[in-house]
Amino acid sequence: MKLGTIIVLVSFFLLELLLRKKFPGLYRRIRLPVNIIASVLALSYCVLLIYALHEVLNSSVSGGDKLFFVLLVLASLGAFAFAETSLWRRWLKKRKEDGDGV
């Protein structure tokens, strides 16, 4: 991973911590839009992975490489599904704790 990518990720993490601690009202208001944006980005990335899988399976790549790519894509899709499910469960749990109701 490039240093710039790590810096951007750490910046977003620190911004999220700052908003949560110093501006809880603003943080509560932007949680839902941020979750929606993250879900749309993850879904679009998963669609691109599935398209890449389709292209690799229909190419002249060797069978072993195809198998490795299939396993890699399946693991990535599973990781994204788990991350998004965890994100929304945590949001629902926090919403119930805040008394917003469901």
Side-chain angles (χ1 to χ4, degrees):
M1 192 179 295
K2 292 183 179 180
L3 181 62
T5 305
I6 293 171
I7 291 172
V8 168
L9 291 175
V10 169
S11 305
F12 278 121
F13 178 72
L14 292 175
L15 178 66
E16 191 260 343
L17 283 176
L18 176 73
L19 284 175
R20 188 183 327 161
K21 298 291 181 185
K22 300 288 183 184
F23 306 103
L26 176 64
Y27 178 73
R28 262 186 257 115
R29 282 186 294 223
I30 66 169
R31 257 191 320 208
L32 180 60
V34 167
N35 286 356
I36 291 170
I37 291 169
S39 295
V40 168
L41 288 173
L43 179 65
S44 61
Y45 186 72
C46 288
V47 167
L48 286 173
L49 277 176
I50 293 170
Y51 176 73
L53 180 65
H54 170 70
E55 290 295 315
V56 167
L57 290 176
N58 291 324
S59 70
S60 61
V61 176
S62 70
D65 290 341
K66 285 182 183 181
L67 177 63
F68 176 75
F69 192 71
V70 166
L71 294 175
L72 184 67
V73 167
L74 290 177
S76 298
L77 292 175
F80 275 105
F82 176 76
E84 288 303 312
T85 303
S86 298
L87 179 76
W88 284 103
R89 283 185 180 168
R90 197 171 48 237
W91 178 77
L92 284 172
K93 181 180 177 185
K94 186 68 175 164
R95 186 174 172 193
K96 286 180 184 178
E97 289 173 0
D98 289 345
D100 293 340
V102 175

